[in-house]
Amino acid sequence: MAMDAEDQIELREGVDRETIETVQAMAGKYKHGWETEIETEYAPKGLNEDIVRLISEKNGEPQWMLDWRLAAFRRWQQMEEPRWAMLSYPEIDYQDQYYYAKPKSMAQKPKSLDEVDPKLLATYEKLGIPLKEQMLLAGVEGSDEPRKVAVDAVFDSVSVGTTFKEELKKAGVIFCSISEAIREYPELVQKYLGSVVPQSDNFFATLNSAVFSDGSFVYVPEGVRCPMELSTYFRINAENTGQFERTLIVADKGAYVSYLEGCTAPKRDTHQLHAAVVEIVILDDAEVKYSTVQNWYPGDENGKGGIYNFVTKRADCRGPRAKVMWTQVETGSAITWKYPSCILRGEGSQGEFYSIAIANNAQQADTGTKMVHLGKNTKSRIVSKGISAGRAQNTYRGLVSMHPKATNSRNYTQCDSLLIGDKCGAHTVPYIEVKNNSSRVEHEATTSKVDDDQLFYCRSRGMDEEEAVALVVNGFCKEVLQALPMEFAMEAQSLVAISLEGSVG
Amino acid sequence: MLEINNLHVKLEEDDKVILKGVNLTVEAGKVHAIMGPNGSGKSTLSYVLSGRDGYEVTDGSATLDGVELLEMEPEERAAAGLFLAFQYPVEIPGVGNMTFLRTAVNAQRKARGQEEMSAGEFLKVVREKAKALKIDAEMMKRPVNVGFSGGEKKRNEILQMAMLEPKMCILDETDSGLDVDAMKLVADGVNALRDAGRAFLVITHYQRLLDHIKPDVVHIMADGRIVKTGGPELALEVENNGYADILAEVL
């Protein structure tokens, strides 16, 4: 077994080299900062009940969905924005933005990808996201045969298209946009929507419940192992527009699915709001892997522009032996507020959280996880790697809670922080509650600086300074990078390097 | 090949003067040894030549094949053919030894405008060279120097040297912390690299390393200067009588 793990490391050897080339080719630029020029239809600026009704109408939703949204909106109006995170940003004017933006060419929902506006297709091609089914994710070295990855592409407020739908359907897997699911599979959506993250959960989740426009829906039926990786690629394009996507994943008994999520946005001088909700329901013996590479525009060196990323992600292990694994690489956004959580309800269920959070320049990240142990013999594992550079502030905030009935449960937490330079900060805020006598919680934390001796050693062997930093930081993150599917591991490695450009010297 | 003229160096931190006019010429194909008591400036010389931060050159020059080294970044010096085998090799957690080595080899090749080594070619060469130093595949997969024994660290330095094929090799107390067998292995590795186009500067406290790596010239360094230069017999004199006599004679 140990050898297998080692072999995987070898496979990745070529990646490091590529990383470094990519870094040098890009010379410190956010590579997804371009904009697609496309005519866009906006809802009127601001937020009120009419906007909520309009979004619902645009999506052709049934009455129950509209009622649900309106209930959320009314509740949201009574709520206050949370301020407990270690984040400082000016007050957000929720009336000064658009809540719905859709390319005009999407006015008539295309029946197939062939009918999608070529400009939109070109956008995803430029991002390296294959929207044609014969195309596979580029550059997957080392695997014997290229793996198929189904993609749902979300552009501003709408889903542009979903690939491999038919092939997935044959296996019984439903993968489509959430707006389509609300129309086509209302009984499934009604049963599970809001059952993991309730409408009233928190300020941003409630806002999302009122105004979410699109997102992805996945249902894997009992006993089915999803035949390919599923992924959603989110792109914000329109200016002054928030993106509020909603993702719902249901793995029925004994099912398995691996899901990837990627995000980018153009460079803009103004901040943009992104408030997403992801709900995952995992029944008996089922397993879900959810990987994110979050690369929203981080703003410039002085903190001008960038995405405000307020995200609620939660998985509910409802049945015995259910398993969930969150892996996230957070390199983008001006502000990150995100705590993918695991509710370990089923007896013997397991939750894992692997995270790399990089904050450079003026970025701020407050991120972590919650492991809520409700069932007996439940297990959780947290591995968090925070990297701060420039003037950035990076906080790990995590809760491990062992409830009275969660006897014989275990948690292991490892939080490592790495500082580059002397103007940044790393903070670790663990909350631990244990309400029974038989459970065990372990917490290890380290904080270190990128060591001058390490950099000099690398440079004396011929690597330049940025190459050396990339190598040392990738080493620091290795455990998390290894948890990612191959397709994302490569992108993540190069992102780690790119996000840290200009952080030394 | 290496030409050091009147090199004066102080510590940036507290202005303490360490090197007070070092003059040294190392010709291609030769092995020079520098011996000297603790605090004489031997390690500082090796760090200044390879470009470590924290030192200020106040006077003098150091050239490699006529090109001024002291103006270059450390990686440029490496690409120009300078190599320092560290007295205390640095640990880099999470970075596989093989990955590190391949990144280094290709960085230098790229800097020289050469094509990168393919994965297959690299593996073939590295396996062969590692075998001679009794470095097994398992050690190549472990993170750089992490959990390596003293002997493994030094052998790993020599492997890097063998892979990078520098012109000018500086060995900083490569014998420290080695038992007799390990020293023999390291010395064999160095001797295998001796070549008409390559020169060595071996910094050591003790004669015993020089039993295995036979020097052409031996220098004694004291108080920031080269105070005496001679043949291999000079090392034996130090071994038998210590530094006191020599220092009394020259100072």
Side-chain angles (χ1 to χ4, degrees), chain A residues 104-410:
Chain A
K104 280 191 178 159
S105 55
M106 291 292 293
Q108 290 292 319
K109 177 101 180 145
K111 284 190 198 68
S112 75
L113 282 164
D114 299 335
E115 292 177 20
V116 170
D117 185 345
K119 272 188 184 170
L120 290 170
L121 294 178
T123 299
Y124 286 92
E125 201 175 319
K126 199 169 166 186
L127 291 167
I129 309 303
L131 283 191
K132 293 190 179 136
E133 299 193 353
Q134 66 271 32
M135 282 163 55
L136 301 162
L137 275 184
V140 182
E141 256 182 42
S143 51
D144 293 338
E145 57 184 83
R147 281 194 289 169
K148 287 176 183 171
V149 178
V151 179
D152 182 23
V154 177
F155 190 91
D156 290 331
S157 303
V158 290
S159 166
V160 169
T162 311
T163 64
F164 290 109
K165 258 162 99 168
E166 290 309 311
E167 197 172 328
L168 286 166
K169 215 177 208 170
K170 276 183 212 151
V173 175
I174 302 171
F175 180 42
C176 62
S177 72
I178 190 111
S179 55
E180 189 180 332
I182 291 166
R183 292 190 301 266
E184 307 289 328
Y185 310 99
E187 64 298 335
L188 279 175
V189 176
Q190 242 181 321
K191 184 170 175 189
Y192 293 111
L193 187 77
S195 73
V196 184
V197 178
Q199 263 184 359
S200 57
D201 192 77
N202 70 72
F203 181 85
F204 295 106
T206 306
L207 173 62
N208 174 286
S209 301
V211 301
F212 76 87
S213 44
D214 223 330
S216 302
F217 175 74
V218 178
Y219 176 76
V220 188
E222 187 168 343
V224 172
R225 194 178 167 87
C226 187
M228 63 184 86
E229 306 254 352
L230 306 183
S231 72
T232 304
Y233 199 91
F234 296 99
R235 176 77 175 168
I236 297 180
N237 190 63
E239 204 161 357
N240 290 324
T241 303
Q243 193 179 54
F244 305 93
E245 84 263 5
R246 185 123 196 158
T247 298
L248 177 58
I249 298 173
V250 180
D252 214 322
K253 291 177 183 169
Y256 168 86
V257 63
S258 168
Y259 179 93
L260 323 172
E261 173 201 85
C263 341
T264 60
K267 284 186 183 181
R268 306 221 185 263
D269 289 346
T270 50
H271 296 290
Q272 277 178 286
L273 183 61
H274 173 256
V277 172
V278 175
E279 294 181 273
I280 306 180
V281 177
I282 308 159
L283 301 181
D284 313 16
D285 299 293
E287 182 177 355
V288 175
K289 287 186 179 167
Y290 191 107
S291 313
T292 306
V293 172
Q294 186 265 104
N295 187 23
W296 295 120
Y297 177 54
D300 71 6
E301 307 84 76
N302 302 313
K304 199 167 184 196
I307 302 289
Y308 286 169
N309 190 34
F310 295 96
V311 174
T312 305
K313 291 184 171 175
R314 195 172 300 153
D316 189 351
C317 290
R318 262 176 215 176
R321 298 167 303 279
K323 272 173 86 171
V324 61
M325 179 167 134
W326 295 103
T327 307
Q328 61 171 22
V329 178
E330 302 283 319
T331 62
S333 297
I335 299 263
T336 298
W337 180 98
K338 180 183 170 189
Y339 317 90
S341 306
C342 304
I343 310 296
L344 304 172
R345 201 184 299 276
E347 193 176 325
S349 57
Q350 287 183 36
E352 290 175 58
F353 174 77
Y354 295 92
S355 170
I356 297 170
I358 298 182
N360 192 5
N361 296 318
Q363 282 178 279
Q364 301 174 64
D366 192 301
T367 183
T369 184
K370 289 186 212 170
M371 292 292 174
V372 181
H373 293 252
L374 299 176
K376 269 191 266 189
N377 303 321
T378 47
K379 274 191 232 167
S380 64
R381 182 180 170 86
I382 299 169
V383 178
S384 161
K385 305 278 179 176
I387 298 137
S388 321
R391 289 171 290 124
Q393 294 296 328
N394 202 335
T395 303
Y396 168 82
R397 190 181 300 278
L399 168 73
V400 176
S401 175
M402 300 281 183
H403 283 242
K405 286 182 184 158
T407 49
N408 291 310
S409 294
R410 286 199 317 227

Side-chain angles (χ1 to χ4, degrees), chain A residues 5 34 43 76 88 159 215 235 262 305 310 378 387 420 427 450 456 482 487 497:
Chain A
W34 42 272
W76 180 74
S88 120
S159 166
R235 176 77 175 168
F310 295 96
T378 47
I387 298 137
I420 303 175
H427 317 275
V450 165
F456 174 61
Q482 279 180 325
E487 289 83 352

Side-chain angles (χ1 to χ4, degrees), chain B residues 122-136:
Chain B
F122 176 82
L123 267 177
K124 195 171 147 254
V125 179
V126 85
R127 278 193 186 132
E128 194 182 302
K129 300 199 173 189
K131 203 176 160 198
L133 287 157
K134 296 209 165 112
I135 293 175
D136 59 14

